Amino acid sequence: MKKIPFITKEQAEELKKQYPTPFHLYDEKAIRENARKVKEAFSWNKGFKEYFAVKATPNPTILQILKEEGCGTDCSSYTELLMSEAVGITGSDIMFSSNVTPGEDFVLARKLGATINLDDFTHIDFLEKVAGIPETISCRYNPGGLFQINNDIMDTPGEAKYGFTREQLTQGFKKLMEKGAKHFGIHAFLASNTVANEYYPKLARILFQTAVELKKETGADITFINLSGGVGIAYTPDKEPNDIMAIGAGVKEAFEEILVPAGMGDIAIFTEMGRFMLAPYGCLVTTVLHEKHTYKEYIGVDACAANLMRPAIYGAYHHITVLGKENAPCDHKYDVTGGLCENNDKFAIDRMLPKIDIGDILVIHDTGAHGFSMGYNYNGKLRSAEVLLKEDGTSQLIRRAETPKDYFATFDFMNIF
């Protein structure tokens, strides 16, 4: 099986004339279509809002596109808050979900009117001290133990550093009410990159039941429940992708079974998806520089783990297409590598691909989220450009590539340039 890239060899060659490889490329039309489908899947909930996880793809142009489609932002740091403000996303359109949070981050979140999602019971006093307690606030819940779907272990929340225990939630709501909070939300993230339509509905049932209990225990006005992220994508071509319409319907069923009978049918549902919103609609475009024949067959490209580190640190699979050879037989086994001084700098290991020649252009799929954003400068490698393939077929540079001057800019004592 194979994935179909959203650009052709001819398009890639034209783009290379303007933007030297490697670069990350995003498909505006597909991003907008997906955002509208997510909105449709949860349209049964009048307060629904998707808060795009900025950490996945921190680019103002991407945020602006999603803002136009009705999305807010999920921020986790000072600079992500600044980026949201820069594109006109403020107030309750920002969800600030952070951990081990510096005081200045809380101060800025309060200044912008963001909804703060507290990660820990001790942060209540800390927030009050540095920025004050807002009238609307959220708390992150960690039920501990294992999280399972159909007897399959999806993740281990009990090992995660995030969130309140169940007992702390009750204590936290009561304490926050004493300090002036009037409206509450509940948030949880129990598994990452799930390719299972059952994940959100099961998470929803846990949170909905918790909301009903908290209402009885504290009398708190719970106005929203945030299902956070965790809805993944099919990185491998043999997997069936998530069906967001089925996911939305599953959450609706849980909503009507648990919240509506409890008189809590006016609660808004929020999501904070990054990967599902963007990953399939971005790719890394790279050119083959070298081939090496030793104990294995190696293809060396001009991208490296500094541009996409998921394969290096997680052993993650990203599908690769050799442009212009989409229909050629995959009868050659290669390791596809970058040029870092690290042996894990490999985009593929023992991957069956068509015969690759120097100068071929490769598309590495599904890099639209946690691709560019996780990059770094090891070996003095410079961060690549980001390019938007616009709906009308033209392209737009939405982040220029770094230069050596950028790399040396923080060395104030050096006068290299």
Side-chain angles (χ1 to χ4, degrees), residues 159-213:
E159 298 295 323
K161 66 176 182 175
Y162 310 107
F164 290 57
T165 67
R166 178 64 186 82
E167 183 182 5
Q168 287 173 339
L169 270 187
T170 300
Q171 295 172 348
F173 272 42
K174 288 178 178 178
K175 187 170 185 175
L176 285 162
M177 291 170 73
E178 291 170 2
K179 295 179 180 295
K182 293 182 170 59
H183 312 290
F184 290 83
I186 310 172
H187 169 288
F189 179 92
L190 302 187
S192 179
N193 191 34
T194 60
V195 188
N197 293 334
E198 300 86 0
Y199 170 62
Y200 253 10
K202 180 155 187 178
L203 171 63
R205 288 182 182 277
I206 293 170
L207 288 180
F208 294 168
Q209 188 59 49
T210 302
V212 171
E213 293 169 3

Side-chain angles (χ1 to χ4, degrees), residues 215-233:
K215 175 79 171 178
K216 290 178 181 177
E217 294 166 3
T218 67
D221 176 30
I222 299 172
T223 58
F224 67 86
I225 291 175
N226 189 334
L227 301 178
S228 69
V231 178
I233 67 159

Side-chain angles (χ1 to χ4, degrees), residues 23-336:
F23 57 82
H24 284 270
L25 182 69
Y26 304 96
D27 184 352
E28 180 185 5
K29 184 174 186 290
I31 292 169
R32 290 186 183 275
E33 288 174 351
N34 187 56
R36 291 167 192 169
K37 196 167 184 179
V38 168
K39 189 174 181 180
E40 181 187 355
F42 290 90
S43 60
W44 52 268
N45 182 266
K46 63 181 180 181
F48 173 75
K49 194 171 189 71
E50 156 62 20
Y51 290 84
F52 174 69
V54 177
K55 67 181 76 69
T57 319
N59 187 291
T61 302
I62 298 296
L63 300 189
Q64 180 63 41
I65 289 170
L66 292 171
K67 177 190 174 187
E68 291 169 7
E69 298 300 335
C71 300
T73 53
D74 160 41
C75 298
S76 59
S77 69
Y78 192 92
T79 47
E80 289 180 358
L81 287 167
L82 289 178
M83 187 179 292
S84 294
E85 182 186 23
V87 297
I89 300 175
T90 58
S92 62
D93 287 338
I94 300 176
M95 187 71 58
F96 184 60
S97 297
S98 177
N99 70 94
V100 195
T101 309
E104 56 266 31
D105 292 29
F106 277 139
V107 170
L108 180 57
R110 292 282 278 125
K111 177 186 174 185
L112 295 178
T115 300
I116 292 173
N117 180 40
L118 288 176
D119 179 67
D120 182 59
F121 182 82
T122 66
H123 290 183
I124 297 172
D125 288 339
F126 182 75
L127 175 62
E128 182 182 38
K129 179 182 177 181
V130 300
I133 301 296
E135 289 194 355
T136 298
I137 197 160
S138 177
C139 294
R140 182 169 184 167
Y141 176 39
N142 184 335
L146 303 176
F147 180 74
Q148 296 177 280
I149 297 177
N150 301 327
N151 296 321
D152 292 329
I153 296 174
M154 306 300 288
D155 221 320
T156 54
E159 298 295 323
K161 66 176 182 175
Y162 310 107
F164 290 57
T165 67
R166 178 64 186 82
E167 183 182 5
Q168 287 173 339
L169 270 187
T170 300
Q171 295 172 348
F173 272 42
K174 288 178 178 178
K175 187 170 185 175
L176 285 162
M177 291 170 73
E178 291 170 2
K179 295 179 180 295
K182 293 182 170 59
H183 312 290
F184 290 83
I186 310 172
H187 169 288
F189 179 92
L190 302 187
S192 179
N193 191 34
T194 60
V195 188
N197 293 334
E198 300 86 0
Y199 170 62
Y200 253 10
K202 180 155 187 178
L203 171 63
R205 288 182 182 277
I206 293 170
L207 288 180
F208 294 168
Q209 188 59 49
T210 302
V212 171
E213 293 169 3
L214 284 169
K215 175 79 171 178
K216 290 178 181 177
E217 294 166 3
T218 67
D221 176 30
I222 299 172
T223 58
F224 67 86
I225 291 175
N226 189 334
L227 301 178
S228 69
V231 178
I233 67 159
Y235 283 100
T236 57
D238 58 324
K239 273 190 179 175
E240 190 69 27
N242 278 318
D243 181 347
I244 197 64
M245 301 306 293
I247 290 170
V251 175
K252 179 182 180 183
E253 182 180 336
F255 188 95
E256 292 176 344
E257 286 182 13
I258 300 171
L259 290 180
V260 172
M264 302 171 72
D266 58 347
I267 283 180
I269 300 300
F270 297 159
T271 57
E272 291 175 348
M273 295 184 284
R275 198 184 312 266
F276 185 82
M277 297 297 291
L278 253 292
Y281 315 116
C283 64
L284 178 58
V285 182
T286 182
T287 303
V288 175
L289 297 181
H290 297 284
E291 55 184 37
K292 182 174 182 176
H293 319 285
T294 54
Y295 305 107
K296 303 182 78 172
E297 293 294 302
Y298 293 99
I299 293 296
V301 297
D302 57 8
C304 64
N307 307 114
L308 176 66
M309 64 188 299
R310 294 186 73 254
I313 63 173
Y314 301 134
Y317 180 96
H318 281 264
H319 201 64
I320 296 175
T321 297
V322 185
L323 291 182
K325 299 180 180 179
E326 291 86 347
N327 298 315
C330 294
D331 53 6
H332 285 62
K333 184 187 290 186
Y334 296 112
D335 281 14
V336 180

